[in-house]
């Protein structure tokens, strides 16, 4: 029975430890050292969502340029050619033909008719076009703010992913250290059991402890692979690059939590999404003005130069080309459009009220977000201090228990409990650090900050 349990486990344990040592060498793709600052710079230049929003800025600028064309002259050149198999008919030239119900007609003119004209239309007064251009400029500014908001979100995601990778690496390292400690304890138990100085139950317990740790290592390894893929997506990297993080988990103990009122005011000033909501109110006002101008006249300067000719059998070389040229002013006054303008103005006022409510709601939600993230910063900073003390105490306790176990004073169960307490304390410390840094990242996102450092 002793051989059937220990020898197979000895082989599987050795294979598992070898796999842990070789796991960095088994990763696919090339490796690249990556700092947080470099990751943010790569995301800002290659992230696909940012590139989409950047294209939207160019689209908005192009729409503004198109709208400006409403105030520019419109010049067109047109021409036509017609061949009549029967000459054109003109009625009433020869009087009646005897029947009073019939009107006489005659056919004359050329079989081939050609004409060409150049037309010019220059708007003189078009208030609606001016308001539309101003509205397009506001929409262009809105697209720029949307890009900035997307940048804030992407930077926050990169920071969050980077911190997550750091914590996962530390937790995997911690788990491997725990396996090494438990593996050493298992070897000691096997040696003492062979000498008849230990119970078989101690060896079985050590075996169980090691096997219970293996799934956590596998889970953390897969979590690292998924987090690496998420980072590649954020950086717009289509390769299978394995990023080696050059930064470490560092905490600034002297850093203070900002005041709630100060954070709220900073968020109001800097957050692009709140600026977009403010801009939406201006856009609604401009649309109301645009609908009102639809009831005003449109005045344009018009001019046309035309030449025309008629001939037979396509003898255009011998034909005459008399010109016609005129210039004048054209105006259009809307009289009745089915109450569309009145209803559009009413709709614009409703949308303006809605924009006010949305902005007020966003302000109230921002107050809650600020309060929550600052409370989380305070709570996690205190938890870090506590967990750091607990971790140091657990490490000292494990060292003492290990010494007592080696001297035969402490039991194997005490050593297992001490090792488990040490692993749990360090894991809880890493969790507190992760929560604290996540709260700082969320604070930067709330305030619209895209700085590189955590």
């Amino acid at each position: 029975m002793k051989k059937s349990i220990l020898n197979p486990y000895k082989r599987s344990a050795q294979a598992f430890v070898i796999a842990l040592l070789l796991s960095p060498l088994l990763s696919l793709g090339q490796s690249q050292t990556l700092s947080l600052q470099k990751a943010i710079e790569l995301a800002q230049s290659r992230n696909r969502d940012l590139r989409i929003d950047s294209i939207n800025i160019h689209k908005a600028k192009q729409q503004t340029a198109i709208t400006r064309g409403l105030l520019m002259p419109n010049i067109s050149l047109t021409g036509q050619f017609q061949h009549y198999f029967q000459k054109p008919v003109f009625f009433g030239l020869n009087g009646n033909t005897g029947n009073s119900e019939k009107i006489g007609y005659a056919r004359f003119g050329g079989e081939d008719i050609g004409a060409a004209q150049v037309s010019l239309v220059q708007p003189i007064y078009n208030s609606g076009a001016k308001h539309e251009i101003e509205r397009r400029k506001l929409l262009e500014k809105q697209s720029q703010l949307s890009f900035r908001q997307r940048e804030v979100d992407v930077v926050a995601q990169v920071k969050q992913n980077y911190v997550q990778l750091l914590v996962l690496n530390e937790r995997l390292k911690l788990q491997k250290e725990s396996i090494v400690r438990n593996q050493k304890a298992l070897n000691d138990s096997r040696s003492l059991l062979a000498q008849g100085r230990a119970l078989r139950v101690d060896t079985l317990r050590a075996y169980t402890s090691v096997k219970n740790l293996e799934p956590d290592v596998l889970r953390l390894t897969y979590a690292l692979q998924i987090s690496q893929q998420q980072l590649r997506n954020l950086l717009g990297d289509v390769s299978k690059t394995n990023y080696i993080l050059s930064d470490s988990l560092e905490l600034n103990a002297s850093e203070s939590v900002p005041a709630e009122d100060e954070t709220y005011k900073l968020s109001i000033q800097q957050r692009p999404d709140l600026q977009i909501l403010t801009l939406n109110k201006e856009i609604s006002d401009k649309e109301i003005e645009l609908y009102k101008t639809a009831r005003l006249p449109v005045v344009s300067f018009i001019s046309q130069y035309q030449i025309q000719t008629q001939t037979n059998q396509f003898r255009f070389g011998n034909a005459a080309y008399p010109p016609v040229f005129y210039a004048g002013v054209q105006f259009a006054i809307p009289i009745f459009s089915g109450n569309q303008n009145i209803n559009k103005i009413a709709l614009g006022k409703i949308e303006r009220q809605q924009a006010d409510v949305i902005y007020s709601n966003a302000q109230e939600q921002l107050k809650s977000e600020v309060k929550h993230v600052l409370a989380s910063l305070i709570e996690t900073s205190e938890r870090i201090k506590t967990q750091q003390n607990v971790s140091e105490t657990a490490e000292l306790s494990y060292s003492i228990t290990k010494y007592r176990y080696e001297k035969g004073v402490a039991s194997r169960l005490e050593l297992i409990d001490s090792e488990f307490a040490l692993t749990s304390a360090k894991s809880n410390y890493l969790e507190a650090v992760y929560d604290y840094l996540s709260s700082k990242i969320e604070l930067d996102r709330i305030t619209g900050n895209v700085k590189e450092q955590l």
Side-chain angles (χ1 to χ4, degrees), residues 341-360:
N341 292 331
I342 296 176
N343 293 327
K344 287 181 179 180
I345 293 173
L347 175 62
K349 292 180 179 179
I350 293 173
E351 292 176 345
R352 180 63 166 84
Q353 294 175 357
Q354 185 183 40
D356 289 335
V357 175
I358 292 175
Y359 182 76
S360 299

Side-chain angles (χ1 to χ4, degrees), residues 65-102:
I66 293 173
T67 309
R68 286 196 182 99
L70 296 175
L71 296 179
M72 299 180 68
N74 188 348
I75 303 174
S76 61
L77 172 63
T78 59
Q80 63 181 7
F81 168 76
Q82 296 172 338
H83 175 74
Y84 288 89
F85 295 94
Q86 291 181 319
K87 293 183 178 182
V89 175
F90 295 89
F91 286 90
L93 298 180
N94 296 329
N96 294 335
T97 60
N99 191 337
S100 60
E101 295 181 358
K102 294 183 179 180

Side-chain angles (χ1 to χ4, degrees), residues 16-238:
F16 184 73
V17 172
I18 292 173
L20 290 180
L21 295 175
L22 294 179
S23 58
L25 302 177
L26 298 178
S27 58
L28 298 176
Q30 60 180 357
S31 299
Q32 178 181 344
T33 303
L34 184 69
S35 65
L36 178 59
Q37 180 178 356
K38 182 64 175 177
I40 292 176
E41 291 175 355
L42 289 175
Q44 289 174 330
S45 61
R46 301 192 310 190
N47 182 268
R48 286 180 282 272
D49 290 331
L50 284 177
R51 291 169 60 186
I52 292 173
D53 283 356
S54 176
I55 294 174
N56 286 335
I57 293 177
H58 295 296
K59 288 175 60 178
K61 290 182 178 179
Q62 199 62 39
Q63 287 289 348
T64 304
I66 293 173
T67 309
R68 286 196 182 99
L70 296 175
L71 296 179
M72 299 180 68
N74 188 348
I75 303 174
S76 61
L77 172 63
T78 59
Q80 63 181 7
F81 168 76
Q82 296 172 338
H83 175 74
Y84 288 89
F85 295 94
Q86 291 181 319
K87 293 183 178 182
V89 175
F90 295 89
F91 286 90
L93 298 180
N94 296 329
N96 294 335
T97 60
N99 191 337
S100 60
E101 295 181 358
K102 294 183 179 180
I103 300 176
Y105 64 89
R107 297 177 182 271
F108 57 90
E111 297 175 350
D112 304 309
I113 299 176
Q117 56 265 353
V118 178
S119 301
L120 168 66
V121 179
Q122 171 62 59
I124 298 176
Y125 177 79
N126 189 347
S127 181
K130 294 181 179 179
H131 287 297
E132 178 64 15
I133 292 173
E134 294 173 356
R135 190 179 76 92
R136 284 296 175 182
K137 289 181 179 179
L138 292 176
L139 292 174
E140 183 179 333
K141 184 178 179 181
Q142 187 183 59
S143 66
Q144 295 172 351
L145 290 173
S146 298
F147 175 82
R148 284 178 50 197
Q149 180 60 44
R150 178 74 69 178
E151 185 180 26
V152 170
D153 293 337
V154 168
V155 169
Q157 291 174 13
V158 170
K159 289 181 181 179
Q160 188 71 37
N161 187 270
Y162 198 94
V163 170
Q164 184 179 19
L165 277 172
L166 289 175
V167 172
L168 286 173
N169 280 320
E170 291 296 324
R171 292 195 64 175
L172 182 60
K173 179 182 177 182
L174 177 62
Q175 210 69 12
K176 290 180 179 180
E177 291 175 352
S178 179
I179 288 180
V180 171
R181 290 193 295 266
N182 281 274
Q183 177 63 38
K184 185 177 184 304
L186 175 60
N187 293 336
D188 293 341
S189 296
R190 290 175 50 249
S191 177
L192 292 175
L193 179 62
Q195 299 174 18
R197 298 169 53 191
L199 299 176
R200 183 182 171 196
V201 67
D202 292 334
T203 304
L204 293 175
R205 186 180 291 114
Y207 170 81
T208 303
S209 298
V210 174
K211 296 302 289 183
N212 283 336
L213 293 173
E214 292 180 6
D216 289 335
V217 172
L218 186 62
R219 176 177 59 83
L220 291 172
T221 301
Y222 280 120
L224 276 170
Q225 294 177 2
I226 294 173
S227 189
Q228 283 274 353
Q229 182 61 47
Q230 292 173 344
L231 181 59
R232 286 193 290 268
N233 291 338
L234 288 171
L235 303 187
D237 186 0
V238 296

Side-chain angles (χ1 to χ4, degrees), residues 256-268 363-378 443 446-447:
S256 59
V257 178
E260 184 175 335
D261 292 340
E262 178 184 350
T263 304
Y264 176 75
K265 292 179 181 178
L266 186 62
S267 299
I268 291 293
Q363 285 182 314
E364 295 302 319
Q365 289 182 351
L366 177 60
K367 292 178 181 178
S368 300
E369 292 177 3
V370 169
K371 186 180 291 293
H372 178 268
V373 71
L374 294 182
S376 179
L377 276 174
I378 296 174
L443 179 62
I446 287 178
T447 56

